[in-house]
Amino acid sequence: MKANLISTALFTCTAVLLAGCKKTGEAPGPRRDAIVRLSVLDEHGHALGGVSILIFDEKGYEQFEKDRNTQPADRTITRPDGRADYRFPYATWLKNGNRFVTFVIYEKLDENSYRIWSSGRTIAPAKEERIEFTIENQGIPDVPQGTQLDMYDENNGRTLFGGAVYLDAEHHFVGANRYSLIDMGDIKGMAESGELRLDNFTNRVAARPDHGYFVCKDISLQEFPSGKWGMSIAAEYAKVYVAGPLYHDDKSVGVRLRYTIHKPDRHGLPEWGHIYEASLADGAAVTIQLPEDPASYEFAALKDQSLEFRKESGQVTVRITDEHAEWGNIYPFLIRSGAYYTEVSIETTD
């Protein structure tokens, strides 16, 4: 049986709060609502949007400690910036005086193990409190590594991934005309996600449990004359793993994600934006060394530029064929290798 992954220090802290800060039944102050401003970060300080925070009153939290299926008095969900503002109406929460409330993030890993973060506060009329949670995701046995995001569908909060990708009512990822998605298929966690590939990408795909996905910005993708696509080596992409569905009152309201952000290395391609010089007096050509078989590269001129590419053993020679070439002209072109491409250019010299 797996041990319950609960921080002893966390509960010790909570116990101190319960013992030293609980002040119920005091005379009510101003008849105004109270506000608690919540924030949730990962261990690197990055905001975690779409995180569900349970809200328990005094008796509710005591019952929750005995039975993890206890329903909270209410819940709130963090925005994409990792924040949530929860208002306690005076009439329903505070008319009889201050209340001690516990905020809980509850992550169930499987039937026998779970993680809990909790923080208690005495809520008083017209007062504002702040609570910050830090969610650690490293070193958890049998859980896919990566930042966690509880992604609620468009009918239950519409959590945004990357500021645009959302989950529609049918639980399809939607790229919102900014992102493309590639279904990796059934994998066993982030470790099996592998290298980026750009086959069958789309802007809407079903979010299936235990499936992995690549998520790329549309602006970073480029189609080549062969019909194949490449992603800019200057861009970033995400690997996403759907760990399982999210439920509320036995209804599926979203999916739990694990994701990592990747910036590709150069994959043997020249540095993005590199400028080669080609002398007009020496034939207006430049030779580029290639670490891989030249047949595995694809070249494409930009803006209908007059360029000729000749692949040879271990290299490619790029020659300017523009009859009106002059000193200082710039001729940009693209080089693709596998799923990645770079943009470089040739500048003419004397």
Side-chain angles (χ1 to χ4, degrees), residues 183-216:
D183 188 345
M184 304 179 201
D186 194 356
I187 62 174
K188 292 182 176 63
M190 299 295 294
E192 288 192 3
S193 57
E195 189 61 52
L196 175 69
R197 64 175 196 269
L198 295 177
D199 55 313
N200 300 318
F201 59 83
T202 178
N203 65 358
R204 183 175 184 270
V205 63
R208 297 185 174 91
D210 298 320
H211 273 229
Y213 300 84
F214 296 111
V215 183
C216 306

Side-chain angles (χ1 to χ4, degrees), residues 232-235 263 266 269-277 288 302 330-335 341-347:
S232 164
I233 61 171
K263 185 174 180 61
R266 286 164 51 184
L269 294 167
E271 182 180 356
W272 183 275
H274 184 78
I275 298 176
Y276 298 92
E277 293 185 348
I288 303 172
L302 291 177
I330 301 291
Y331 297 84
F333 62 97
L334 308 177
I335 308 175
Y341 80 93
T342 188
E343 178 179 331
V344 296
S345 58
I346 297 178
E347 181 176 8

Side-chain angles (χ1 to χ4, degrees), residues 24 27 36 38 45 56 65 81 88 113 118 125 149 177 201 218 222 233 242 247 261 264 272 284 303 313 340 347:
T24 59
V36 175
L38 303 143
F56 291 95
E65 289 186 296
D81 63 0
F88 289 88
S113 51
S118 66
L149 173 64
N177 296 318
F201 59 83
D218 289 344
Q222 174 72 41
I233 61 171
V242 179
Y247 290 99
I261 304 299
W272 183 275
K303 304 177 183 178
S313 177
Y340 304 97
E347 181 176 8

Side-chain angles (χ1 to χ4, degrees), residues 36-301:
V36 175
R37 304 195 185 280
L38 303 143
S39 62
V40 182
L41 308 173
D42 67 13
E43 67 268 35
H44 303 296
H46 301 139
L48 296 179
V51 176
S52 179
I53 302 176
L54 311 181
I55 301 168
F56 291 95
D57 59 17
E58 300 91 328
K59 292 183 179 179
Y61 187 69
E62 291 176 3
Q63 184 62 31
F64 175 74
E65 289 186 296
K66 302 173 185 176
D67 179 4
R68 301 302 176 195
N69 294 318
T70 301
Q71 289 299 308
D74 203 353
R75 69 179 66 214
T76 187
I77 299 171
T78 58
R79 301 185 298 268
D81 63 0
R83 300 180 183 277
D85 299 326
Y86 188 84
R87 181 178 295 274
F88 289 88
Y90 176 86
T92 55
W93 278 91
L94 302 168
K95 64 181 180 180
N96 293 324
N98 298 350
R99 298 285 298 277
F100 190 83
V101 178
T102 304
F103 300 84
V104 176
I105 298 175
Y106 174 52
E107 180 185 0
K108 185 175 181 179
L109 304 179
D110 56 34
E111 292 302 319
N112 299 311
S113 51
Y114 52 86
R115 298 197 298 169
I116 292 174
W117 294 263
S118 66
S119 183
R121 288 292 189 278
T122 296
I123 307 301
K127 298 296 184 180
E128 179 178 306
E129 298 285 344
R130 295 180 181 273
I131 296 175
E132 180 177 295
F133 290 97
T134 299
I135 307 299
E136 304 86 5
N137 287 302
Q138 301 301 319
I140 308 168
D142 304 324
V143 177
Q145 297 302 303
T147 302
Q148 176 181 298
L149 173 64
D150 284 353
M151 193 170 187
Y152 290 83
D153 63 35
E154 62 183 350
N155 292 334
N156 293 276
R158 197 170 183 265
T159 307
L160 295 180
F161 178 79
V165 179
Y166 66 93
L167 200 65
D168 67 15
E170 289 76 36
H171 287 192
H172 287 73
F173 291 123
V174 180
N177 296 318
R178 288 179 57 189
Y179 287 86
S180 290
L181 306 112
I182 302 99
D183 188 345
M184 304 179 201
D186 194 356
I187 62 174
K188 292 182 176 63
M190 299 295 294
E192 288 192 3
S193 57
E195 189 61 52
L196 175 69
R197 64 175 196 269
L198 295 177
D199 55 313
N200 300 318
F201 59 83
T202 178
N203 65 358
R204 183 175 184 270
V205 63
R208 297 185 174 91
D210 298 320
H211 273 229
Y213 300 84
F214 296 111
V215 183
C216 306
K217 288 184 178 180
D218 289 344
I219 197 172
S220 72
L221 302 177
Q222 174 72 41
E223 185 176 18
F224 280 72
S226 66
K228 295 183 178 180
W229 288 77
M231 192 196 81
S232 164
I233 61 171
E236 293 181 336
Y237 68 97
K239 294 181 180 181
V240 172
Y241 174 74
V242 179
L246 296 173
Y247 290 99
H248 178 55
D249 293 336
D250 297 325
K251 177 185 176 183
S252 179
V253 295
V255 294
R256 172 159 291 166
L257 306 182
R258 302 276 178 174
Y259 70 91
T260 53
I261 304 299
H262 300 266
K263 185 174 180 61
D265 60 30
R266 286 164 51 184
H267 291 272
L269 294 167
E271 182 180 356
W272 183 275
H274 184 78
I275 298 176
Y276 298 92
E277 293 185 348
S279 170
L280 293 173
D282 294 333
V286 62
T287 297
I288 303 172
Q289 302 298 316
L290 303 173
E292 304 291 340
D293 180 0
S296 66
Y297 293 87
E298 184 174 6
F299 303 85

